[in-house]
Amino acid sequence: MTTPKFPENFLWGGATAANQLEGAYNEGGRGLSVQDVMPKGLMTAPTLEPTEENLKLKGIDFYHRYKEDIALMAQMGFKVFRLSISWSRIYPNGDDAQPNEEGLQFYDDLFDELHKHGMEPLVTLSHYEPPLNLARNYRGWIDRKVIGFFETYARTVFERYQDKVKYWLTFNEVNSIISAPANGAIFPEEMEVTLADKWQAAHNQLVASAAATKIAKEINPEMQVGCMVISMPTYPMTPKPKDQLAVRDFMNENYAFTDIHVRGEYPGYLKRHLREQGIEIKFGENDAAILKEHTVDFISFSYYVSLVQAHDSETYQSGEGNIFRGLENPYLDSSEWGWQIDPIGLRLVLNDFWDRYQLPLFIVENGLGAKDVLIEDGAGSFTVEDDYRIAYLKAHLQQVGEAIEDGVELLGYTSWGPIDFVSMSTAQMSKRYGFIYVDRNDDGEGSLKRYKKKSFNWYKEVIGTNGASLYDAE
Ligand code: BG6
């Protein structure tokens, strides 16, 4: 067996989202985002106004502490840092005529800080945080007008940051909108929403993603634009052909979104799926042409769990996950939140995407959410002995190495939540992913002080050896 080698210039780093770490929800001219009224997580009902229990309002105060945090990432040797721009810092209501200069300046400073430390920013335009006004005064992404607002926002940030940001992602986990409509500023608790509405919103986001790609290339062809999906490699529960068909149907939920982003048209299986549900997507006059002509440069994805499907799924125990759930896999262990751990699934999904598209790939989320315990390190400071996180990441990265050996072209790997922050699905602080511990608990109490965990030095070595240390004898 050969020992895998990571490519030179491989982009090692970490990934974040504005709503989960920035805080400062009402500072710097920022408008409210849907997350400010979702204190219990993305999949739960919104409140009327922001409420104090909502941990995201303060996050980990990255807005004020980003210099200290980026310096820590630099100590680990990060080559890339994934972040999202909070749309409502730039256009507070989403439909404003003029952008908010203070918001633009904030990201200018942040990008400068990253470059100062030799880090490439990887920027998501929309990470589950559209302006609240779009939900309350439009019907979110169901309304076609939102495509235009998004184009304006994208144009503003592309023009402004074209010399500072090379890698862009349009929508985080764009394939989640049917299951997680808040992603599209749609609150089913507040408005009547049909399945057809959700698919229309998905279509509108797909068109907006292609339109943003077009705008980016017009402004500066050097900019690279990618799509971003939740990946979900799926196994059949048994070798029954009907189970394999159930797998195929389920995986198509993922492929539909990458197929459209890469090939520029609706695949036959999706057209059939929509037809059989009586759903007719309203195409604007130029939609088909925009989709066809402005496809992405690379594919990025999150990977946490693999799934299992069966044609008679009701006879089995269901598994856990944040948005998509399959059936329990008896051969896998689970995290404390019941997410099944499957490093080989990551190798499989890398190969699947590569075989299907031959476009460069980017793993932009992967990691273990766990309850950490802060202990004294014997030298007067505190740390976390997170061997479980090291084991998780090591096993996954070894499979990434295997996929690279298989011939997959991979731009980089950004582990999710390099510093602890508020969870997306459960809105907890105690679900921690970081190499850096942040002193804040689920009641919102804590000094916000940062402490290096054991995994901090481990990841530093992985990056410093460009992955070679993953294969050191124990
Ligand atoms: C991804 C999201 O689905 O999963 C992130 O893009 C999220 O925003 C991550 O934080 C982990 O999920 P959770 O629910 O554990 O925070």
PDB file of all heavy atoms in Angstrom, residues 20 127-128 172-173 304 322 339 365 416 423-426 431 433, ligand 1:
ATOM      1  N   GLN A  20     -23.202  32.099  13.385  1.00  0.00           N
ATOM      2  CA  GLN A  20     -22.888  31.214  14.493  1.00  0.00           C
ATOM      3  C   GLN A  20     -21.750  31.748  15.369  1.00  0.00           C
ATOM      4  O   GLN A  20     -21.559  31.281  16.474  1.00  0.00           O
ATOM      5  CB  GLN A  20     -22.563  29.815  13.965  1.00  0.00           C
ATOM      6  CG  GLN A  20     -23.802  29.154  13.362  1.00  0.00           C
ATOM      7  CD  GLN A  20     -23.536  27.815  12.682  1.00  0.00           C
ATOM      8  OE1 GLN A  20     -23.510  27.721  11.464  1.00  0.00           O
ATOM      9  NE2 GLN A  20     -23.330  26.780  13.457  1.00  0.00           N
ATOM     10  N   HIS A 127     -25.220  31.843   4.168  1.00  0.00           N
ATOM     11  CA  HIS A 127     -25.111  30.656   5.023  1.00  0.00           C
ATOM     12  C   HIS A 127     -26.251  30.658   6.047  1.00  0.00           C
ATOM     13  O   HIS A 127     -26.072  31.049   7.187  1.00  0.00           O
ATOM     14  CB  HIS A 127     -23.755  30.627   5.736  1.00  0.00           C
ATOM     15  CG  HIS A 127     -23.449  29.313   6.399  1.00  0.00           C
ATOM     16  ND1 HIS A 127     -22.295  28.601   6.179  1.00  0.00           N
ATOM     17  CD2 HIS A 127     -24.161  28.549   7.270  1.00  0.00           C
ATOM     18  CE1 HIS A 127     -22.306  27.487   6.897  1.00  0.00           C
ATOM     19  NE2 HIS A 127     -23.448  27.446   7.579  1.00  0.00           N
ATOM     20  N   TYR A 128     -27.430  30.281   5.626  1.00  0.00           N
ATOM     21  CA  TYR A 128     -28.589  30.169   6.532  1.00  0.00           C
ATOM     22  C   TYR A 128     -28.901  31.464   7.276  1.00  0.00           C
ATOM     23  O   TYR A 128     -29.387  31.425   8.396  1.00  0.00           O
ATOM     24  CB  TYR A 128     -28.346  29.053   7.566  1.00  0.00           C
ATOM     25  CG  TYR A 128     -28.250  27.666   6.981  1.00  0.00           C
ATOM     26  CD1 TYR A 128     -27.462  26.690   7.575  1.00  0.00           C
ATOM     27  CD2 TYR A 128     -28.965  27.311   5.856  1.00  0.00           C
ATOM     28  CE1 TYR A 128     -27.372  25.405   7.045  1.00  0.00           C
ATOM     29  CE2 TYR A 128     -28.890  26.031   5.322  1.00  0.00           C
ATOM     30  CZ  TYR A 128     -28.091  25.089   5.924  1.00  0.00           C
ATOM     31  OH  TYR A 128     -28.010  23.819   5.402  1.00  0.00           O
ATOM     32  N   ASN A 172     -24.854  28.092   1.100  1.00  0.00           N
ATOM     33  CA  ASN A 172     -24.462  26.960   1.922  1.00  0.00           C
ATOM     34  C   ASN A 172     -25.512  25.860   1.816  1.00  0.00           C
ATOM     35  O   ASN A 172     -26.715  26.116   1.921  1.00  0.00           O
ATOM     36  CB  ASN A 172     -24.366  27.399   3.391  1.00  0.00           C
ATOM     37  CG  ASN A 172     -23.885  26.287   4.292  1.00  0.00           C
ATOM     38  OD1 ASN A 172     -22.754  25.812   4.150  1.00  0.00           O
ATOM     39  ND2 ASN A 172     -24.733  25.828   5.205  1.00  0.00           N
ATOM     40  N   GLU A 173     -25.068  24.643   1.604  1.00  0.00           N
ATOM     41  CA  GLU A 173     -25.968  23.471   1.596  1.00  0.00           C
ATOM     42  C   GLU A 173     -27.258  23.774   0.842  1.00  0.00           C
ATOM     43  O   GLU A 173     -28.364  23.660   1.358  1.00  0.00           O
ATOM     44  CB  GLU A 173     -26.220  23.009   3.028  1.00  0.00           C
ATOM     45  CG  GLU A 173     -24.913  22.606   3.715  1.00  0.00           C
ATOM     46  CD  GLU A 173     -25.057  22.001   5.097  1.00  0.00           C
ATOM     47  OE1 GLU A 173     -26.053  22.306   5.776  1.00  0.00           O
ATOM     48  OE2 GLU A 173     -24.175  21.237   5.515  1.00  0.00           O
ATOM     49  N   TYR A 304     -20.666  14.947   7.204  1.00  0.00           N
ATOM     50  CA  TYR A 304     -20.694  14.543   8.617  1.00  0.00           C
ATOM     51  C   TYR A 304     -21.062  13.078   8.789  1.00  0.00           C
ATOM     52  O   TYR A 304     -20.466  12.382   9.590  1.00  0.00           O
ATOM     53  CB  TYR A 304     -21.699  15.408   9.407  1.00  0.00           C
ATOM     54  CG  TYR A 304     -21.285  16.850   9.480  1.00  0.00           C
ATOM     55  CD1 TYR A 304     -21.769  17.780   8.558  1.00  0.00           C
ATOM     56  CD2 TYR A 304     -20.380  17.295  10.435  1.00  0.00           C
ATOM     57  CE1 TYR A 304     -21.371  19.104   8.598  1.00  0.00           C
ATOM     58  CE2 TYR A 304     -19.975  18.620  10.488  1.00  0.00           C
ATOM     59  CZ  TYR A 304     -20.476  19.519   9.564  1.00  0.00           C
ATOM     60  OH  TYR A 304     -20.064  20.825   9.606  1.00  0.00           O
ATOM     61  N   ASN A 322     -28.456  16.555  11.184  1.00  0.00           N
ATOM     62  CA  ASN A 322     -29.061  17.868  11.435  1.00  0.00           C
ATOM     63  C   ASN A 322     -30.201  18.197  10.484  1.00  0.00           C
ATOM     64  O   ASN A 322     -31.184  18.792  10.874  1.00  0.00           O
ATOM     65  CB  ASN A 322     -28.023  18.996  11.524  1.00  0.00           C
ATOM     66  CG  ASN A 322     -27.144  19.115  10.295  1.00  0.00           C
ATOM     67  OD1 ASN A 322     -27.313  18.396   9.332  1.00  0.00           O
ATOM     68  ND2 ASN A 322     -26.216  20.044  10.342  1.00  0.00           N
ATOM     69  N   TRP A 339     -25.056  11.179  15.640  1.00  0.00           N
ATOM     70  CA  TRP A 339     -24.633  11.222  14.233  1.00  0.00           C
ATOM     71  C   TRP A 339     -23.664  10.072  13.994  1.00  0.00           C
ATOM     72  O   TRP A 339     -22.663   9.950  14.709  1.00  0.00           O
ATOM     73  CB  TRP A 339     -23.944  12.555  13.909  1.00  0.00           C
ATOM     74  CG  TRP A 339     -24.826  13.759  13.997  1.00  0.00           C
ATOM     75  CD1 TRP A 339     -26.013  13.868  14.687  1.00  0.00           C
ATOM     76  CD2 TRP A 339     -24.606  15.039  13.395  1.00  0.00           C
ATOM     77  NE1 TRP A 339     -26.537  15.132  14.544  1.00  0.00           N
ATOM     78  CE2 TRP A 339     -25.690  15.872  13.751  1.00  0.00           C
ATOM     79  CE3 TRP A 339     -23.605  15.562  12.596  1.00  0.00           C
ATOM     80  CZ2 TRP A 339     -25.794  17.202  13.327  1.00  0.00           C
ATOM     81  CZ3 TRP A 339     -23.699  16.884  12.169  1.00  0.00           C
ATOM     82  CH2 TRP A 339     -24.784  17.693  12.536  1.00  0.00           C
ATOM     83  N   GLU A 365     -16.656  21.431   5.061  1.00  0.00           N
ATOM     84  CA  GLU A 365     -17.137  21.171   6.417  1.00  0.00           C
ATOM     85  C   GLU A 365     -16.963  19.702   6.718  1.00  0.00           C
ATOM     86  O   GLU A 365     -17.328  18.854   5.906  1.00  0.00           O
ATOM     87  CB  GLU A 365     -18.630  21.493   6.572  1.00  0.00           C
ATOM     88  CG  GLU A 365     -18.976  22.945   6.610  1.00  0.00           C
ATOM     89  CD  GLU A 365     -20.429  23.186   6.992  1.00  0.00           C
ATOM     90  OE1 GLU A 365     -20.992  22.411   7.784  1.00  0.00           O
ATOM     91  OE2 GLU A 365     -20.996  24.162   6.488  1.00  0.00           O
ATOM     92  N   TRP A 416     -14.981  21.866  10.167  1.00  0.00           N
ATOM     93  CA  TRP A 416     -16.046  22.733  10.669  1.00  0.00           C
ATOM     94  C   TRP A 416     -15.738  23.230  12.085  1.00  0.00           C
ATOM     95  O   TRP A 416     -15.276  22.467  12.920  1.00  0.00           O
ATOM     96  CB  TRP A 416     -17.412  22.016  10.659  1.00  0.00           C
ATOM     97  CG  TRP A 416     -18.487  22.943  11.152  1.00  0.00           C
ATOM     98  CD1 TRP A 416     -19.211  22.840  12.307  1.00  0.00           C
ATOM     99  CD2 TRP A 416     -18.932  24.163  10.512  1.00  0.00           C
ATOM    100  NE1 TRP A 416     -20.069  23.912  12.418  1.00  0.00           N
ATOM    101  CE2 TRP A 416     -19.918  24.731  11.339  1.00  0.00           C
ATOM    102  CE3 TRP A 416     -18.580  24.810   9.324  1.00  0.00           C
ATOM    103  CZ2 TRP A 416     -20.569  25.932  11.017  1.00  0.00           C
ATOM    104  CZ3 TRP A 416     -19.221  26.009   9.005  1.00  0.00           C
ATOM    105  CH2 TRP A 416     -20.201  26.542   9.846  1.00  0.00           C
ATOM    106  N   SER A 423     -24.192  26.022  17.800  1.00  0.00           N
ATOM    107  CA  SER A 423     -24.588  24.988  16.842  1.00  0.00           C
ATOM    108  C   SER A 423     -25.761  25.455  15.976  1.00  0.00           C
ATOM    109  O   SER A 423     -26.615  26.229  16.407  1.00  0.00           O
ATOM    110  CB  SER A 423     -24.975  23.720  17.609  1.00  0.00           C
ATOM    111  OG  SER A 423     -26.015  23.035  16.974  1.00  0.00           O
ATOM    112  N   MET A 424     -25.769  24.982  14.759  1.00  0.00           N
ATOM    113  CA  MET A 424     -26.838  25.365  13.835  1.00  0.00           C
ATOM    114  C   MET A 424     -28.146  24.666  14.183  1.00  0.00           C
ATOM    115  O   MET A 424     -29.180  25.296  14.326  1.00  0.00           O
ATOM    116  CB  MET A 424     -26.392  25.014  12.408  1.00  0.00           C
ATOM    117  CG  MET A 424     -27.352  25.340  11.320  1.00  0.00           C
ATOM    118  SD  MET A 424     -28.496  24.006  11.005  1.00  0.00           S
ATOM    119  CE  MET A 424     -27.574  23.000   9.892  1.00  0.00           C
ATOM    120  N   SER A 425     -28.108  23.333  14.345  1.00  0.00           N
ATOM    121  CA  SER A 425     -29.376  22.619  14.498  1.00  0.00           C
ATOM    122  C   SER A 425     -29.925  22.684  15.914  1.00  0.00           C
ATOM    123  O   SER A 425     -31.136  22.701  16.105  1.00  0.00           O
ATOM    124  CB  SER A 425     -29.229  21.167  14.061  1.00  0.00           C
ATOM    125  OG  SER A 425     -28.234  20.510  14.815  1.00  0.00           O
ATOM    126  N   THR A 426     -29.058  22.709  16.922  1.00  0.00           N
ATOM    127  CA  THR A 426     -29.576  22.688  18.295  1.00  0.00           C
ATOM    128  C   THR A 426     -29.406  24.026  19.008  1.00  0.00           C
ATOM    129  O   THR A 426     -29.897  24.185  20.119  1.00  0.00           O
ATOM    130  CB  THR A 426     -28.844  21.612  19.133  1.00  0.00           C
ATOM    131  OG1 THR A 426     -27.457  21.992  19.236  1.00  0.00           O
ATOM    132  CG2 THR A 426     -28.941  20.240  18.484  1.00  0.00           C
ATOM    133  N   LYS A 431     -22.343  21.929  22.074  1.00  0.00           N
ATOM    134  CA  LYS A 431     -21.986  21.041  20.953  1.00  0.00           C
ATOM    135  C   LYS A 431     -20.774  21.678  20.271  1.00  0.00           C
ATOM    136  O   LYS A 431     -20.901  22.558  19.427  1.00  0.00           O
ATOM    137  CB  LYS A 431     -23.156  20.908  19.991  1.00  0.00           C
ATOM    138  CG  LYS A 431     -22.946  19.826  18.966  1.00  0.00           C
ATOM    139  CD  LYS A 431     -24.143  19.628  18.076  1.00  0.00           C
ATOM    140  CE  LYS A 431     -23.949  18.380  17.235  1.00  0.00           C
ATOM    141  NZ  LYS A 431     -24.923  18.280  16.153  1.00  0.00           N
ATOM    142  N   TYR A 433     -17.088  21.901  18.253  1.00  0.00           N
ATOM    143  CA  TYR A 433     -16.322  21.304  17.161  1.00  0.00           C
ATOM    144  C   TYR A 433     -14.858  21.740  17.168  1.00  0.00           C
ATOM    145  O   TYR A 433     -14.061  21.243  16.385  1.00  0.00           O
ATOM    146  CB  TYR A 433     -16.916  21.729  15.807  1.00  0.00           C
ATOM    147  CG  TYR A 433     -18.223  21.049  15.433  1.00  0.00           C
ATOM    148  CD1 TYR A 433     -19.443  21.529  15.906  1.00  0.00           C
ATOM    149  CD2 TYR A 433     -18.239  19.935  14.600  1.00  0.00           C
ATOM    150  CE1 TYR A 433     -20.643  20.915  15.555  1.00  0.00           C
ATOM    151  CE2 TYR A 433     -19.424  19.315  14.240  1.00  0.00           C
ATOM    152  CZ  TYR A 433     -20.623  19.803  14.722  1.00  0.00           C
ATOM    153  OH  TYR A 433     -21.808  19.191  14.377  1.00  0.00           O
TER     154      TYR A 433
HETATM  155  C1  BG6 B   1     -23.844  22.125   8.537  1.00  0.00           C
HETATM  156  C2  BG6 B   1     -24.040  23.616   8.534  1.00  0.00           C
HETATM  157  O1  BG6 B   1     -24.961  21.484   8.065  1.00  0.00           O
HETATM  158  O2  BG6 B   1     -23.631  21.512   9.760  1.00  0.00           O
HETATM  159  C3  BG6 B   1     -23.392  24.349   9.684  1.00  0.00           C
HETATM  160  O3  BG6 B   1     -23.608  24.182   7.318  1.00  0.00           O
HETATM  161  C4  BG6 B   1     -23.571  23.553  10.953  1.00  0.00           C
HETATM  162  O4  BG6 B   1     -23.924  25.637   9.758  1.00  0.00           O
HETATM  163  C5  BG6 B   1     -22.921  22.192  10.781  1.00  0.00           C
HETATM  164  O5  BG6 B   1     -23.129  24.169  12.124  1.00  0.00           O
HETATM  165  C6  BG6 B   1     -22.954  21.310  12.007  1.00  0.00           C
HETATM  166  O6  BG6 B   1     -24.260  21.186  12.467  1.00  0.00           O
HETATM  167  P1  BG6 B   1     -24.658  21.511  13.967  1.00  0.00           P
HETATM  168  O7  BG6 B   1     -26.127  21.415  13.973  1.00  0.00           O
HETATM  169  O8  BG6 B   1     -23.989  20.463  14.781  1.00  0.00           O
HETATM  170  O9  BG6 B   1     -24.158  22.873  14.256  1.00  0.00           O
END
